[in-house]
Amino acid sequence: MRSTDVLVGLLLVVVAARFAFPGVFDVPAVQAWSTVFVAVCLQALPFLVLGVLLSAAISTLVPPSFFARALPRRPGLAVPVAGAAGLVLPGCECASVPVAGSLVRRGVTPAAALAFLLSAPAINPVVLVATAVAFPDDPEVVVARFVASLAVALVMGWLWTAFGRGRWLQLPPRHDHAPGTSRAAAFLAVVQHDLVHAGGFLVVGGLTAATLNVVVPRAWLDAVAAEPLLAVLVLAALAVLLAICSEADAFVAAGLTSFSLTARLAFLVVGPAVDVKLVALQTGTFGRRFAVRFAPTTFVVAVAAASLVGWWLL
């Protein structure tokens, strides 16, 4: 069953419940929940669409050979160049994994490909603008997100340069479009797939943010938020489980008002770097031996980077 079928089914259930139990929707808690949910989704949707369009354009229109020609041959130098490329060549998490696999298959050093994999969905202009809109009173969050996310990409790239082993990395197979498929058709297919896929995770994130704000006792949230280390770890773990698209996660984080800016920064930095869908994509692209080493290390580096940058800037 497709995610769109599930979404339509849920909408039909809500409409039916609206007529069958009209008084339920007048309860203040339900009204507050629906307000938070709709606000999160409506604010994030334009950035999600724009991010999907840009990501699809890069994955279908930019020749993979471009990256191989643009990157230095020395891994130590290729890592920061590839990390910085994420700023001008954006992509969502779902697109960055196959793009990184294509780079490795075409001879790009794995360290550079992994740096691009981590930076592209985290520091691109769409994500940074979305973060600025979600945190209008805290512009330093945008700077902190950029610095911490870029640091994660560079550190992981250099760690692979120093300690990575070729046997850990399965060479990804080719996934070409059917013969005769035009670039326009390929572009539309990628847009359709990514929009439906990412939109479903956005809905889940909106539901979770609304539920945390309305259902979970405020005293419990305040108790967790009052412990700086625990708050960072809880939101980092939440980012892994929710797997929200990076173009939309800032609006979910902005709704978690009980938590400090540093804890919410951890949510923003960890999510695009390691979450449940990324682990699955990395396993399918680079193999299980790679994923079981790369994902936990990335999580630790991302939490550490967010904590240090948050302490410094926030």
Side-chain angles (χ1 to χ4, degrees), residues 177-187 189:
H177 296 287
T181 302
S182 65
R183 287 190 175 185
F187 172 80

Side-chain angles (χ1 to χ4, degrees), residues 91-93 120-122 124 127 130-131 145 244-250 272 277:
C92 72
E93 298 93 316
N124 69 71
V127 169
T131 306
R145 180 173 197 176
I244 305 171
C245 186
S246 58
E247 283 86 4
D249 59 2
K277 73 175 186 297

Side-chain angles (χ1 to χ4, degrees), residues 21 49-50 53 63 107 109 130 135 137 174 187 211-212 221 289 295 304:
F21 309 101
V49 172
L50 179 57
L53 291 174
T109 177
F135 291 87
D137 299 324
R174 293 186 65 89
F187 172 80
T211 301
L212 286 175
L221 286 178
R289 286 186 296 181

Side-chain angles (χ1 to χ4, degrees), residues 202-254:
L202 170 60
V203 171
V204 172
L207 291 171
T208 303
T211 301
L212 286 175
N213 276 275
V214 176
V215 176
V216 178
R218 178 63 58 179
W220 186 87
L221 286 178
D222 291 341
V224 174
E227 298 292 334
L229 179 59
L230 181 61
V232 167
L233 294 177
V234 166
L235 288 197
L238 190 64
V240 173
L241 296 175
L242 291 185
I244 305 171
C245 186
S246 58
E247 283 86 4
D249 59 2
F251 298 95
V252 176

